[in-house]
Coordinates of all heavy atoms in Angstrom, one line a residue:
M1 N 78.5 -16.5 -60.7 CA 77.2 -15.9 -60.3 C 76.5 -15.3 -61.5 O 77.1 -14.6 -62.3 CB 77.5 -14.8 -59.2 CG 76.3 -14.3 -58.6 SD 76.8 -13.2 -57.2 CE 75.2 -12.8 -56.7
A2 N 75.2 -15.6 -61.4 CA 74.4 -15.0 -62.5 C 74.2 -13.5 -62.5 O 74.2 -13.0 -61.4 CB 73.0 -15.8 -62.5
R3 N 74.1 -13.0 -63.6 CA 73.9 -11.5 -63.7 C 72.5 -11.3 -64.3 O 72.2 -11.9 -65.3 CB 75.0 -10.8 -64.5 CG 74.8 -9.3 -64.6 CD 76.1 -8.7 -65.1 NE 75.7 -7.3 -65.5 CZ 76.3 -6.7 -66.4 NH1 77.4 -7.1 -67.1 NH2 76.1 -5.5 -66.6
K4 N 71.7 -10.4 -63.8 CA 70.4 -10.1 -64.3 C 70.5 -8.9 -65.3 O 71.3 -8.1 -65.1 CB 69.5 -9.9 -63.1 CG 69.7 -8.6 -62.4 CD 68.6 -8.5 -61.3 CE 69.0 -7.2 -60.4 NZ 68.2 -7.0 -59.3
L5 N 69.6 -9.0 -66.2 CA 69.3 -7.9 -67.2 C 68.0 -7.3 -66.9 O 67.0 -8.1 -67.1 CB 69.6 -8.4 -68.6 CG 69.3 -7.4 -69.7 CD1 70.2 -6.2 -69.7 CD2 69.5 -8.2 -71.0
R6 N 67.8 -6.1 -66.6 CA 66.5 -5.5 -66.5 C 65.9 -5.1 -67.9 O 66.5 -4.2 -68.5 CB 66.4 -4.4 -65.5 CG 65.0 -3.8 -65.3 CD 65.1 -2.6 -64.3 NE 66.1 -1.5 -64.7 CZ 65.7 -0.4 -65.5 NH1 64.5 -0.4 -65.9 NH2 66.4 0.4 -65.9
L7 N 64.9 -5.8 -68.3 CA 64.2 -5.5 -69.6 C 63.1 -4.4 -69.3 O 63.0 -3.5 -70.1 CB 63.5 -6.7 -70.1 CG 64.5 -7.8 -70.4 CD1 63.7 -9.0 -71.1 CD2 65.6 -7.4 -71.5
K8 N 62.3 -4.6 -68.2 CA 61.4 -3.5 -67.7 C 61.5 -3.4 -66.3 O 62.2 -4.3 -65.7 CB 60.0 -4.0 -68.2 CG 59.9 -3.9 -69.8 CD 58.4 -4.1 -70.2 CE 57.5 -3.0 -69.9 NZ 57.4 -1.9 -70.8
P9 N 60.8 -2.6 -65.6 CA 60.9 -2.4 -64.0 C 60.6 -3.6 -63.4 O 61.1 -4.0 -62.3 CB 60.0 -1.3 -63.8 CG 59.9 -0.5 -65.0 CD 60.1 -1.4 -66.2
N10 N 59.8 -4.6 -64.0 CA 59.3 -5.7 -63.3 C 59.7 -7.1 -64.1 O 59.1 -8.0 -63.7 CB 57.9 -5.7 -62.9 CG 57.0 -5.6 -64.1 OD1 57.6 -5.3 -65.2 ND2 55.7 -5.9 -64.0
L11 N 60.6 -6.9 -65.0 CA 60.9 -8.1 -65.9 C 62.4 -8.1 -66.0 O 63.1 -7.2 -66.5 CB 60.3 -7.9 -67.3 CG 60.6 -9.0 -68.3 CD1 60.0 -10.4 -67.7 CD2 60.1 -8.7 -69.6
F12 N 63.0 -9.3 -65.5 CA 64.5 -9.4 -65.6 C 64.8 -10.8 -66.3 O 63.9 -11.7 -66.4 CB 65.0 -9.5 -64.1 CG 64.8 -8.3 -63.3 CD1 63.7 -8.1 -62.7 CD2 65.9 -7.3 -63.4 CE1 63.5 -6.9 -62.0 CE2 65.7 -6.2 -62.7 CZ 64.5 -6.0 -61.9
L13 N 66.0 -10.8 -66.8 CA 66.5 -11.9 -67.6 C 67.8 -12.3 -67.0 O 68.7 -11.5 -66.9 CB 66.5 -11.6 -69.1 CG 67.2 -12.6 -70.0 CD1 66.2 -14.0 -70.1 CD2 67.3 -12.1 -71.4
N14 N 68.0 -13.7 -66.7 CA 69.3 -14.2 -66.4 C 70.2 -14.0 -67.5 O 69.9 -14.9 -68.6 CB 69.1 -15.6 -65.7 CG 70.4 -16.1 -65.3 OD1 71.5 -15.6 -65.7 ND2 70.4 -17.2 -64.4
M15 N 71.3 -13.4 -67.6 CA 72.1 -13.3 -68.8 C 72.9 -14.6 -69.1 O 73.3 -14.7 -70.2 CB 73.0 -12.0 -68.6 CG 72.3 -10.8 -68.7 SD 73.2 -9.2 -68.5 CE 74.1 -9.2 -70.0
D16 N 73.0 -15.4 -68.1 CA 73.6 -16.7 -68.4 C 72.8 -17.6 -69.4 O 73.3 -18.5 -70.0 CB 73.8 -17.6 -67.2 CG 75.0 -16.9 -66.3 OD1 75.7 -16.2 -66.8 OD2 74.9 -17.3 -65.1
H17 N 71.5 -17.2 -69.5 CA 70.7 -17.9 -70.5 C 70.5 -17.4 -71.9 O 69.9 -18.0 -72.7 CB 69.2 -18.0 -69.8 CG 69.2 -18.8 -68.5 ND1 68.8 -20.2 -68.6 CD2 69.4 -18.6 -67.3 CE1 68.9 -20.7 -67.2 NE2 69.3 -19.6 -66.5
I18 N 71.2 -16.3 -72.1 CA 71.2 -15.8 -73.5 C 72.0 -16.7 -74.4 O 73.2 -16.9 -74.2 CB 71.7 -14.3 -73.6 CG1 70.7 -13.4 -72.6 CG2 71.8 -13.7 -74.9 CD1 71.3 -12.0 -72.6
V19 N 71.4 -17.2 -75.4 CA 72.0 -18.0 -76.5 C 72.5 -17.0 -77.6 O 73.6 -17.3 -78.1 CB 71.0 -19.1 -77.0 CG1 71.7 -19.9 -78.1 CG2 70.6 -20.0 -75.9
S20 N 71.7 -16.1 -78.1 CA 72.0 -15.3 -79.2 C 71.1 -14.0 -79.1 O 70.2 -14.0 -78.4 CB 71.8 -16.0 -80.6 OG 70.5 -16.3 -80.9
W21 N 71.6 -13.1 -79.9 CA 70.8 -11.8 -80.0 C 71.1 -11.2 -81.3 O 72.1 -11.3 -81.9 CB 71.2 -10.8 -78.8 CG 72.5 -10.2 -78.8 CD1 72.9 -9.0 -79.3 CD2 73.7 -10.9 -78.3 NE1 74.3 -8.9 -79.1 CE2 74.8 -10.0 -78.5 CE3 74.1 -12.1 -77.7 CZ2 76.1 -10.3 -78.1 CZ3 75.3 -12.4 -77.3 CH2 76.3 -11.4 -77.5
L22 N 70.0 -10.4 -81.8 CA 70.1 -9.8 -83.0 C 69.7 -8.4 -82.9 O 68.6 -8.0 -82.3 CB 69.2 -10.5 -84.0 CG 69.1 -9.9 -85.4 CD1 70.4 -10.1 -86.2 CD2 68.0 -10.6 -86.3
I23 N 70.5 -7.4 -83.4 CA 70.2 -6.0 -83.2 C 69.7 -5.5 -84.5 O 70.3 -5.7 -85.6 CB 71.4 -5.2 -82.7 CG1 71.9 -5.7 -81.5 CG2 71.2 -3.7 -82.7 CD1 73.3 -5.1 -81.0
G24 N 68.5 -4.9 -84.5 CA 67.9 -4.3 -85.8 C 67.9 -2.9 -85.6 O 68.6 -2.2 -84.8
D25 N 67.3 -2.1 -86.6 CA 67.3 -0.7 -86.5 C 66.7 -0.1 -85.2 O 67.2 0.8 -84.5 CB 66.5 -0.1 -87.7 CG 67.2 -0.3 -89.0 OD1 68.5 -0.5 -89.0 OD2 66.6 -0.4 -90.1
D26 N 65.5 -0.5 -84.9 CA 64.8 -0.1 -83.6 C 64.3 -1.3 -82.9 O 63.2 -1.1 -82.1 CB 63.7 0.9 -84.0 CG 62.7 0.4 -85.0 OD1 62.8 -0.8 -85.5 OD2 61.8 1.1 -85.3
T27 N 64.8 -2.5 -83.0 CA 64.6 -3.7 -82.4 C 65.6 -4.5 -81.8 O 66.8 -4.3 -82.2 CB 63.7 -4.6 -83.2 OG1 64.5 -5.0 -84.3 CG2 62.4 -3.9 -83.7
L28 N 65.3 -5.3 -81.0 CA 66.4 -6.3 -80.4 C 65.7 -7.5 -80.1 O 64.6 -7.7 -79.6 CB 66.9 -5.7 -79.1 CG 68.0 -6.6 -78.3 CD1 69.2 -6.8 -79.2 CD2 68.2 -6.0 -77.0
R29 N 66.3 -8.7 -80.7 CA 65.7 -10.0 -80.3 C 66.7 -10.8 -79.5 O 68.0 -10.8 -79.8 CB 65.6 -10.8 -81.6 CG 64.9 -12.2 -81.4 CD 64.8 -13.0 -82.7 NE 66.1 -13.6 -82.9 CZ 66.5 -14.0 -84.0 NH1 66.0 -13.7 -85.1 NH2 67.7 -14.5 -84.2
I30 N 66.3 -11.2 -78.5 CA 67.2 -12.1 -77.5 C 66.6 -13.5 -77.5 O 65.5 -13.7 -77.1 CB 67.1 -11.5 -76.1 CG1 67.6 -10.0 -76.1 CG2 68.0 -12.3 -75.2 CD1 67.4 -9.3 -74.8
D31 N 67.5 -14.4 -77.8 CA 67.1 -15.8 -77.7 C 67.6 -16.5 -76.5 O 68.7 -16.4 -76.2 CB 67.7 -16.6 -79.0 CG 67.0 -16.0 -80.3 OD1 65.8 -15.8 -80.3 OD2 67.9 -15.8 -81.3
T32 N 66.7 -17.3 -75.8 CA 67.1 -18.1 -74.7 C 66.6 -19.5 -75.1 O 65.8 -19.6 -75.9 CB 66.5 -17.6 -73.3 OG1 65.1 -17.9 -73.5 CG2 66.8 -16.1 -73.1
P33 N 67.1 -20.6 -74.3 CA 66.6 -21.9 -74.6 C 65.0 -22.0 -74.4 O 64.4 -22.8 -75.1 CB 67.2 -22.8 -73.5 CG 68.5 -22.1 -73.1 CD 68.2 -20.5 -73.3
A34 N 64.5 -21.2 -73.5 CA 63.0 -21.3 -73.3 C 62.1 -20.3 -74.0 O 61.0 -20.6 -74.3 CB 62.8 -21.0 -71.7
E35 N 62.7 -19.2 -74.5 CA 61.9 -18.1 -75.1 C 62.7 -17.2 -75.9 O 63.9 -17.0 -75.6 CB 61.1 -17.4 -73.9 CG 60.1 -16.4 -74.4 CD 59.2 -15.8 -73.2 OE1 59.4 -16.3 -72.1 OE2 58.5 -15.0 -73.5
T36 N 61.9 -16.5 -76.8 CA 62.6 -15.4 -77.6 C 62.0 -14.2 -77.2 O 60.7 -14.2 -77.3 CB 62.4 -15.8 -79.0 OG1 63.1 -16.9 -79.4 CG2 63.1 -14.6 -79.9
F37 N 62.7 -13.2 -76.9 CA 62.1 -11.9 -76.5 C 62.4 -10.9 -77.7 O 63.5 -10.8 -78.2 CB 62.9 -11.3 -75.3 CG 62.6 -12.1 -74.1 CD1 63.6 -13.2 -73.8 CD2 61.6 -11.9 -73.3 CE1 63.4 -13.9 -72.6 CE2 61.4 -12.6 -72.1 CZ 62.2 -13.7 -71.8
H38 N 61.3 -10.2 -78.1 CA 61.4 -9.2 -79.2 C 61.1 -7.9 -78.5 O 60.1 -7.7 -78.0 CB 60.4 -9.5 -80.3 CG 60.5 -10.7 -81.0 ND1 61.4 -10.8 -82.1 CD2 60.1 -12.0 -80.8 CE1 61.4 -12.1 -82.5 NE2 60.6 -12.8 -81.8
I39 N 62.1 -7.1 -78.5 CA 62.0 -5.7 -77.8 C 62.1 -4.6 -78.8 O 63.0 -4.7 -79.8 CB 63.3 -5.6 -76.9 CG1 63.2 -6.9 -75.9 CG2 63.1 -4.4 -76.0 CD1 64.5 -7.0 -75.1
G40 N 61.1 -3.7 -78.7 CA 61.0 -2.4 -79.6 C 61.0 -1.2 -78.9 O 60.8 -1.2 -77.6
I41 N 61.1 -0.1 -79.6 CA 61.1 1.1 -79.0 C 59.6 1.6 -79.0 O 58.8 1.4 -79.9 CB 61.9 2.2 -79.8 CG1 63.4 1.7 -79.7 CG2 61.8 3.7 -79.4 CD1 64.3 2.5 -80.6
N42 N 59.2 2.3 -77.9 CA 57.9 2.8 -77.8 C 57.5 3.7 -78.9 O 58.3 4.4 -79.4 CB 57.8 3.7 -76.5 CG 57.8 2.8 -75.2 OD1 57.4 1.7 -75.2 ND2 58.3 3.4 -74.1
G43 N 56.3 3.5 -79.4 CA 55.9 4.4 -80.5 C 56.2 4.0 -81.8 O 55.8 4.5 -82.8
T44 N 57.0 2.9 -82.0 CA 57.3 2.3 -83.3 C 56.3 1.3 -83.7 O 55.6 0.7 -82.8 CB 58.7 1.8 -83.4 OG1 58.9 0.7 -82.5 CG2 59.7 2.9 -83.1
K45 N 56.2 1.0 -85.0 CA 55.3 -0.1 -85.4 C 56.2 -1.4 -85.7 O 55.6 -2.3 -86.4 CB 54.7 0.3 -86.7 CG 53.8 1.5 -86.6 CD 53.0 1.9 -87.7 CE 52.2 3.1 -87.5 NZ 51.1 3.3 -88.4
S46 N 57.2 -1.5 -85.0 CA 58.0 -2.8 -85.2 C 57.4 -3.9 -84.5 O 56.7 -3.7 -83.6 CB 59.5 -2.5 -84.7 OG 59.3 -2.2 -83.3
Y47 N 57.8 -5.2 -85.0 CA 57.2 -6.3 -84.3 C 57.9 -6.4 -82.9 O 59.1 -6.6 -82.9 CB 57.4 -7.6 -85.2 CG 57.0 -8.8 -84.4 CD1 55.7 -9.1 -84.2 CD2 57.9 -9.7 -83.9 CE1 55.4 -10.3 -83.5 CE2 57.6 -10.7 -83.3 CZ 56.3 -11.2 -83.1 OH 56.0 -12.3 -82.4
A48 N 57.2 -6.5 -81.8 CA 57.8 -6.7 -80.5 C 56.7 -7.0 -79.5 O 55.5 -6.6 -79.7 CB 58.6 -5.4 -80.1
E49 N 57.0 -7.8 -78.5 CA 56.1 -8.0 -77.4 C 56.4 -7.1 -76.3 O 55.6 -6.8 -75.4 CB 56.3 -9.4 -76.9 CG 55.8 -10.5 -77.9 CD 57.0 -11.1 -78.6 OE1 58.2 -10.8 -78.1 OE2 56.9 -11.8 -79.5
I50 N 57.6 -6.6 -76.1 CA 58.1 -5.6 -75.1 C 58.5 -4.4 -75.7 O 59.4 -4.3 -76.6 CB 59.3 -6.4 -74.3 CG1 58.9 -7.7 -73.8 CG2 59.8 -5.4 -73.3 CD1 60.1 -8.5 -73.2
F51 N 58.0 -3.3 -75.2 CA 58.4 -2.0 -75.7 C 59.0 -1.2 -74.6 O 58.7 -1.2 -73.5 CB 57.1 -1.1 -76.2 CG 56.6 -1.7 -77.5 CD1 55.7 -2.7 -77.5 CD2 57.2 -1.4 -78.8 CE1 55.1 -3.1 -78.8 CE2 56.7 -1.8 -79.9 CZ 55.7 -2.8 -79.9
V52 N 60.2 -0.6 -74.9 CA 60.9 0.3 -74.0 C 61.3 1.6 -74.7 O 61.1 1.7 -75.8 CB 62.2 -0.5 -73.6 CG1 61.8 -1.7 -72.8 CG2 63.2 -0.7 -74.8
T53 N 61.9 2.5 -73.9 CA 62.4 3.8 -74.5 C 63.6 3.5 -75.3 O 64.2 2.5 -75.1 CB 62.7 4.7 -73.3 OG1 63.8 4.3 -72.6 CG2 61.5 5.1 -72.5
D54 N 63.9 4.5 -76.1 CA 65.1 4.3 -77.0 C 66.5 4.2 -76.1 O 67.3 3.4 -76.3 CB 65.3 5.3 -78.0 CG 65.3 6.8 -77.5 OD1 64.8 7.0 -76.3 OD2 65.6 7.7 -78.3
D55 N 66.5 5.0 -75.1 CA 67.6 4.9 -74.0 C 67.7 3.5 -73.4 O 68.8 2.9 -73.2 CB 67.4 5.9 -72.9 CG 67.7 7.4 -73.4 OD1 68.3 7.5 -74.6 OD2 67.2 8.3 -72.9
D56 N 66.5 3.0 -73.0 CA 66.6 1.6 -72.4 C 67.0 0.6 -73.4 O 67.7 -0.4 -73.0 CB 65.2 1.2 -71.9 CG 64.9 1.8 -70.5 OD1 65.9 2.2 -69.8 OD2 63.8 1.9 -70.1
L57 N 66.6 0.7 -74.7 CA 67.1 -0.2 -75.7 C 68.6 -0.3 -75.9 O 69.2 -1.3 -76.0 CB 66.4 0.0 -77.0 CG 66.6 -1.1 -78.1 CD1 65.9 -2.4 -77.7 CD2 66.1 -0.6 -79.4
E58 N 69.1 1.0 -75.9 CA 70.6 1.2 -76.0 C 71.3 0.6 -74.7 O 72.3 -0.1 -74.8 CB 70.9 2.7 -76.1 CG 70.6 3.2 -77.6 CD 71.0 4.7 -77.6 OE1 71.9 5.1 -76.8 OE2 70.4 5.4 -78.6
R59 N 70.7 0.8 -73.6 CA 71.2 0.2 -72.4 C 71.3 -1.2 -72.4 O 72.2 -1.9 -72.1 CB 70.4 0.7 -71.1 CG 70.9 0.2 -69.8 CD 70.0 0.4 -68.7 NE 68.6 0.0 -68.9 CZ 68.1 -1.2 -68.8 NH1 68.9 -2.2 -68.5 NH2 66.8 -1.4 -69.1
I60 N 70.1 -1.9 -72.8 CA 70.1 -3.3 -72.9 C 71.2 -3.9 -73.8 O 71.8 -4.8 -73.6 CB 68.6 -3.8 -73.3 CG1 67.7 -3.4 -72.2 CG2 68.6 -5.2 -73.7 CD1 66.3 -3.5 -72.6
Q61 N 71.2 -3.2 -75.1 CA 72.3 -3.7 -76.0 C 73.7 -3.5 -75.4 O 74.5 -4.4 -75.6 CB 72.2 -2.8 -77.2 CG 70.9 -3.0 -78.0 CD 70.7 -2.1 -79.2 OE1 71.5 -1.2 -79.4 NE2 69.7 -2.4 -80.0
Y62 N 73.9 -2.3 -74.7 CA 75.3 -2.2 -74.1 C 75.6 -3.3 -73.1 O 76.7 -3.8 -73.0 CB 75.3 -0.9 -73.5 CG 76.6 -0.6 -72.7 CD1 77.8 -0.3 -73.4 CD2 76.6 -0.6 -71.3 CE1 79.0 0.0 -72.7 CE2 77.8 -0.5 -70.6 CZ 79.0 -0.2 -71.3 OH 80.2 0.1 -70.6
E63 N 74.6 -3.6 -72.2 CA 74.8 -4.5 -71.1 C 75.1 -6.0 -71.7 O 76.0 -6.7 -71.2 CB 73.6 -4.5 -70.2 CG 73.5 -3.3 -69.4 CD 72.5 -3.3 -68.2 OE1 72.1 -4.4 -67.8 OE2 72.0 -2.3 -67.9
I64 N 74.4 -6.3 -72.8 CA 74.7 -7.7 -73.3 C 76.0 -7.7 -73.9 O 76.8 -8.6 -73.7 CB 73.6 -7.9 -74.4 CG1 72.2 -8.2 -73.7 CG2 73.9 -9.1 -75.3 CD1 71.0 -8.4 -74.7
D65 N 76.4 -6.6 -74.7 CA 77.7 -6.5 -75.4 C 78.8 -6.6 -74.2 O 79.8 -7.3 -74.4 CB 77.9 -5.3 -76.2 CG 77.2 -5.4 -77.5 OD1 76.7 -6.5 -77.9 OD2 76.9 -4.3 -78.1
A66 N 78.6 -5.8 -73.2 CA 79.6 -5.7 -72.1 C 79.7 -7.2 -71.4 O 80.8 -7.6 -71.0 CB 79.2 -4.8 -71.1
Y67 N 78.6 -7.8 -71.2 CA 78.6 -9.2 -70.6 C 79.4 -10.3 -71.4 O 80.1 -11.0 -70.8 CB 77.2 -9.6 -70.4 CG 77.0 -10.9 -69.5 CD1 77.2 -11.0 -68.2 CD2 76.7 -12.1 -70.3 CE1 77.1 -12.2 -67.5 CE2 76.5 -13.3 -69.5 CZ 76.8 -13.3 -68.3 OH 76.7 -14.4 -67.6
F68 N 79.2 -10.1 -72.7 CA 79.8 -11.2 -73.5 C 81.1 -10.8 -74.1 O 81.8 -11.6 -74.8 CB 78.9 -11.6 -74.8 CG 77.7 -12.4 -74.2 CD1 76.5 -11.8 -73.9 CD2 77.9 -13.8 -74.0 CE1 75.5 -12.6 -73.5 CE2 76.9 -14.6 -73.5 CZ 75.7 -14.0 -73.3
D69 N 81.7 -9.6 -73.7 CA 83.0 -9.2 -74.2 C 84.1 -9.8 -73.4 O 84.1 -10.3 -72.3 CB 83.1 -7.7 -74.0 CG 83.5 -7.0 -75.3 OD1 83.7 -7.7 -76.2 OD2 83.6 -5.8 -75.3

C-alpha cells in the first residue's frame, strides 16, 4: 500500500515514487520519475519552489529516512 508524504497542507507525494533525495544545509531535493521537488526553509534565499518551516523540513527528512530504512 502506498504511503503519502505531506509536503504542504494541500500537497502530498506518494513515497513509492521517490527515486532519490539530497539533503542540503537548509534545502531538500526529492526526485521522482515525473518531477523534481526543491524544498527550502521559509525566509531563506535558497533555491526552492516549495517553502516550509524548519520543523516541517526536518519532519519530511525523517519520514523519508524512516520509509526507506
Side-chain angles (χ1 to χ4, degrees):
M1 183 170 180
R3 182 168 167 208
K4 67 182 177 184
L5 173 64
R6 183 177 56 87
L7 301 178
K8 293 192 70 87
N10 60 348
L11 180 62
F12 296 87
L13 175 65
N14 181 340
M15 293 181 70
D16 289 341
H17 292 265
I18 295 175
V19 175
S20 64
W21 66 98
L22 177 67
I23 299 171
D25 291 334
D26 56 358
T27 62
L28 174 64
R29 186 185 80 209
I30 301 173
D31 298 315
T32 70
E35 189 172 352
T36 297
F37 296 92
H38 296 274
I39 304 167
I41 297 175
N42 288 331
T44 62
K45 296 184 180 195
S46 59
Y47 172 75
E49 295 99 12
I50 301 168
F51 287 94
V52 297
T53 66
D54 55 345
D55 290 338
D56 280 338
L57 188 65
E58 288 180 22
R59 176 191 53 79
I60 293 167
Q61 291 173 356
Y62 174 80
E63 287 185 28
I64 292 172
D65 287 341
Y67 182 76
F68 286 98
D69 237 358

